[in-house]
Amino acid sequence: MEINVNRFKQLLEEENKKQNLISRKTGPEEIEQHVKDSLQVLQWISLSGRQVVDIGSGAGFPGLILALACPDCYVTLVESDLKKSGFLKYACTELNLSNVEIIRDRAEILGQSPEHRNRYDVCTSRAVAAMRIMLEYGIPLVKPEGMLLLWKGSGYQQEIADAQNALKALGGIVEEVYFYKLLHERDRAIVVVKKAGPTPPQYPRKVGVPSKKPL
């Protein structure tokens, strides 16, 4: 895995100079921190043999990194941005990854698609949107008893409080919160949300509505 991760970091550094996939000021050390942050979840949760959907994959964090670390899980990367999804396809080709699918679409569309709704064991997301918005994106995609893994910062408690209506409406419960520290950011948390009941068919709502009118 280490060789592939190093190659991925090299690809990202090179491509970021051309098209600003992440901040232009992001250097090797910061990219390494993104990698470590992505891998942190594996200290507590095994993804072996699981179907994973990663919403808002961006430049590959955490979904592509988790696919590299867990070659026996299957990861679907969902990224609506053209240049970022293009980079993900390029990186997967260069890294010869066979356990990754890349979908350029919106989570709201996939959540209402029979092909994707209730399909996945795990949904991951890092630095995409507030928790109550992410719940509407992610819960419809996971199977009953499946889970969402949401990377959060020091404001995680307020996000959980704000998400109570969304949890109730969508059939989710906060099952666990894992805490850790990174070099430049002390307080980090991964919030684990379990899909405890069926999600009503009206969710997710139309594209853009969850972010404009959160539950």
Side-chain angles (χ1 to χ4, degrees):
M1 184 193 81
E2 186 176 344
I3 294 172
N4 273 340
V5 169
N6 287 337
R7 177 61 179 144
F8 166 78
K9 289 188 288 187
Q10 182 184 22
L11 291 171
L12 179 55
E13 282 186 63
E14 291 171 357
E15 202 64 23
N16 196 50
K17 293 173 185 175
K18 303 175 190 174
Q19 54 175 327
N20 203 26
L21 295 164
I22 51 179
S23 170
R24 284 279 171 88
K25 296 177 182 179
T26 302
E29 184 182 322
E30 287 85 0
I31 291 175
E32 177 64 22
Q33 290 302 302
H34 289 314
V35 171
K36 287 181 177 178
D37 195 33
S38 299
L39 292 172
Q40 195 73 35
V41 71
L42 299 179
Q43 290 194 25
W44 304 290
I45 294 172
S46 172
L47 298 179
S48 179
R50 288 176 161 174
Q51 288 259 354
V52 180
V53 60
D54 183 55
I55 296 175
S57 300
F61 308 111
L64 186 53
I65 300 301
L66 293 173
L68 284 167
C70 307
D72 62 339
C73 75
Y74 191 84
V75 182
T76 299
L77 304 178
V78 179
E79 176 51 60
S80 61
D81 182 84
L82 178 61
K83 66 179 181 181
K84 289 176 181 175
S85 61
F87 168 72
L88 293 172
K89 290 176 182 175
Y90 165 68
C92 286
T93 299
E94 289 293 309
L95 296 167
N96 198 28
L97 288 176
S98 59
N99 63 329
V100 178
E101 177 184 10
I102 297 146
I103 297 178
R104 185 181 164 231
D105 211 336
R106 292 288 297 251
E108 301 98 318
I109 300 293
L110 299 186
Q112 289 293 354
S113 162
E115 183 183 352
H116 295 279
R117 191 179 181 93
N118 299 313
R119 170 182 166 184
Y120 300 93
D121 301 300
V122 179
C123 172
T124 59
S125 186
R126 177 181 177 269
V128 174
M131 181 176 166
R132 58 182 178 161
I133 299 169
M134 287 311 310
L135 294 175
E136 189 168 355
Y137 291 160
I139 288 181
L141 293 170
V142 299
K143 301 172 182 176
E145 303 297 307
M147 61 182 164
L148 273 65
L149 305 175
L150 304 176
W151 276 246
K152 294 294 174 186
S154 58
Y156 75 94
Q157 287 178 310
Q158 187 60 54
E159 289 206 44
I160 291 173
D162 292 342
Q164 292 305 305
N165 286 340
L167 287 164
K168 186 175 179 180
L170 297 162
I173 58 170
V174 174
E175 191 171 58
E176 185 67 84
V177 181
Y178 296 113
F179 305 99
Y180 60 101
K181 297 179 186 298
L182 286 179
L183 185 62
H184 298 307
E185 191 174 353
R186 282 188 165 186
D187 299 315
R188 298 284 295 161
I190 294 174
V191 180
V192 182
V193 177
K194 179 181 175 182
K195 183 171 182 173
T199 301
Q202 67 266 34
Y203 301 116
R205 292 166 291 170
K206 291 182 180 180
V207 169
V209 175
S211 59
K212 291 175 183 174
K213 298 180 179 179
L215 292 172

